[in-house]
Amino acid sequence: MAYVYVIKNPSYNDVCLCAWTSVLYPGTPVVYETRFGLDLGIVVGSAPVPDRKYVPGNAEVMGACLHFGSENDVLMPEEGSEEDHQCSYCPGCQIVKEPELMRVDGDVSFLDHLATPEEMARYEANTAKEDDALRICREKVLKHRLNMKLVTSHFLLGEPKVIFFFTAEERVDFRDLVKDLVSVFRMRIELRQIGVRDESRLIGGLSVCGRDYCCHCITSQLDPVTIKMAKEQNLSLNSMKISGPCGRLLCCLAYEYEYYVEEKSLCPPEGTRLRIGHDLWKVTEVNILSHKLTILGSEGRTAFIPVEEVSFNDESGFWEIDEDYIEEYLT
């Protein structure tokens, strides 16, 4: 049994789960094992534990806070009343929860130790040297005429080692470059090639929505995003509108994709014929957000029907509209 925390590396923005035997609070510097070796990380908070399991088709959104505006716009409880402030139970507000003991298994590893003042001083000194190291490496890249773009550099805390992250359109032979860098820094050199999405994750910035890149501030797991996700959500297929600054499809296209797939499975697909009286109407649009179907009849007539009034008849094998709704609609 141990406490599990979310640890973020401030240098190359990796996020992982690590366990520790005592209570730690956000902002605590720790030393943990990364894929590059021992390095410094910051405790973001205790590991999130879902209160209940997700049920497919559940439309109860528990995301962003619903209380927009300034603090003056928030309704405060009357004096003398025992009613809590509304944000104390708002599902969207981020409430810091106390860590809880849990059984540690799977890929969760233990922290190596808490960072000491000497290690923090060494980390600050290493951070101050990274800009100069990047400048020197860029000069060496130009010298060797390599087709590569340096993104950032990082001095590892646990051992004398410097890592250079770079992007390139093809494989780069940097053996002579490494020998040159070793003669300058007198320590281990590692050059790691990354993709353009990883470049955005490392550097950060503002996306088209005006907020920080999702890959930089929310998650370090770059899941594949396909054009099918945009089609399923009836979004514009203009690449300029659904692509991020990295040139790849927006990460947020994957956030609601599964929800749209679940909801659309309960609705007749576009092109389905529905009978109303003696006429056949064609489904031209399925609006998941408004839960309405747009249907097109003869002579160009258009109507809107709630999704709840349409169901699939297993016996006939057709989508049908509720008879009571049809009677009300025709009258």
Side-chain angles (χ1 to χ4, degrees):
M1 302 291 288
Y3 301 95
V4 181
Y5 303 95
V6 178
I7 308 298
K8 184 171 184 177
N9 189 294
S11 299
Y12 43 88
N13 205 45
D14 269 3
V15 179
C16 68
L17 296 179
C18 291
W20 191 243
T21 54
S22 59
V23 175
L24 301 177
Y25 291 99
T28 304
V30 295
V31 177
Y32 71 111
E33 186 68 35
T34 70
R35 49 184 169 159
F36 307 116
L38 284 178
D39 207 357
L40 182 130
I42 303 297
V43 176
V44 177
S46 58
V49 179
D51 297 332
R52 53 182 175 175
K53 188 177 180 181
Y54 171 71
V55 179
N58 184 7
E60 296 180 6
V61 180
M62 302 292 285
C65 182
L66 303 178
H67 302 146
F68 298 103
S70 63
E71 295 182 357
N72 298 329
D73 299 330
V74 179
L75 297 178
M76 299 293 291
E78 297 180 0
E79 294 186 7
S81 66
E82 297 181 355
E83 183 181 358
D84 293 332
H85 186 275
Q86 64 183 25
C87 279
S88 64
Y89 55 82
C90 170
C93 289
Q94 301 298 318
I95 301 175
V96 178
K97 296 183 179 180
E98 289 292 325
E100 299 179 3
L101 279 173
M102 60 182 69
R103 186 177 300 278
V104 178
D105 53 10
D107 297 332
V108 179
S109 59
F110 275 78
L111 299 173
D112 191 86
H113 61 273
L114 301 183
T116 63
E118 292 77 11
E119 288 174 325
M120 290 300 299
R122 188 163 69 251
Y123 171 78
E124 295 293 339
N126 288 341
T127 302
K129 296 188 297 183
E130 289 176 355
D131 289 340
D132 287 336
L134 196 62
R135 177 183 55 80
I136 294 173
C137 188
R138 282 173 177 160
E139 293 175 355
K140 300 298 182 182
V141 169
L142 292 175
K143 173 185 174 182
H144 292 278
R145 297 181 180 179
L146 297 176
N147 187 19
M148 55 191 292
K149 175 188 174 184
L150 287 174
V151 177
T152 186
S153 63
H154 173 61
F155 286 86
L156 209 62
L157 181 69
E159 59 180 290
K161 175 182 175 182
V162 57
I163 307 170
F164 294 96
F165 298 92
F166 71 94
T167 60
E169 296 181 357
E170 55 188 18
R171 190 179 182 87
V172 180
D173 184 3
F174 46 73
R175 287 175 293 182
D176 292 336
L177 174 63
V178 171
K179 294 177 183 179
D180 214 350
L181 293 174
V182 169
S183 65
V184 174
F185 295 101
R186 303 293 181 181
M187 63 176 62
R188 288 184 59 192
I189 302 294
E190 179 175 344
L191 277 85
R192 182 167 291 265
Q193 185 172 352
I194 60 177
V196 290
R197 294 181 70 194
D198 293 289
E199 179 182 0
S200 298
R201 179 178 63 83
L202 287 173
I203 298 177
L206 295 181
S207 186
V208 292
C209 62
R211 305 184 67 176
D212 290 335
Y213 294 163
C214 293
C215 58
H216 180 76
C217 66
I218 296 178
T219 178
S220 60
Q221 301 297 324
L222 299 179
D223 297 325
V225 182
T226 63
I227 196 67
K228 179 183 177 182
M229 297 179 177
K231 292 180 179 178
E232 200 70 36
Q233 300 173 62
N234 296 330
L235 298 175
S236 170
L237 299 184
N238 186 338
S239 60
M240 296 295 292
K241 294 183 178 180
I242 59 176
S243 298
C246 62
R248 300 294 189 266
L249 293 176
L250 292 166
C251 295
C252 56
L253 293 179
Y255 293 167
E256 300 178 1
Y257 171 69
E258 293 184 0
Y259 172 74
Y260 274 81
V261 172
E262 293 168 3
E263 288 294 303
K264 283 192 172 184
S265 65
L266 306 176
C267 306
E270 295 180 4
T272 303
R273 303 285 181 172
L274 299 175
R275 181 175 295 278
I276 300 180
H278 300 288
D279 297 332
L280 283 178
W281 295 66
K282 179 182 178 181
V283 178
T284 58
E285 182 183 357
V286 180
N287 194 318
I288 298 301
L289 298 180
S290 64
H291 278 228
K292 288 186 179 181
L293 304 176
T294 303
I295 57 176
L296 180 66
S298 58
E299 301 178 357
R301 293 177 296 170
T302 303
F304 304 94
I305 297 180
V307 172
E308 299 79 23
E309 305 297 340
V310 183
S311 60
F312 185 78
N313 191 323
D314 294 326
E315 296 181 359
S316 63
F318 294 100
W319 288 89
E320 298 178 353
I321 304 176
D322 184 72
E323 295 181 358
D324 294 336
Y325 182 83
I326 293 178
E327 183 179 351
E328 179 183 353
Y329 179 80
L330 294 177
T331 54

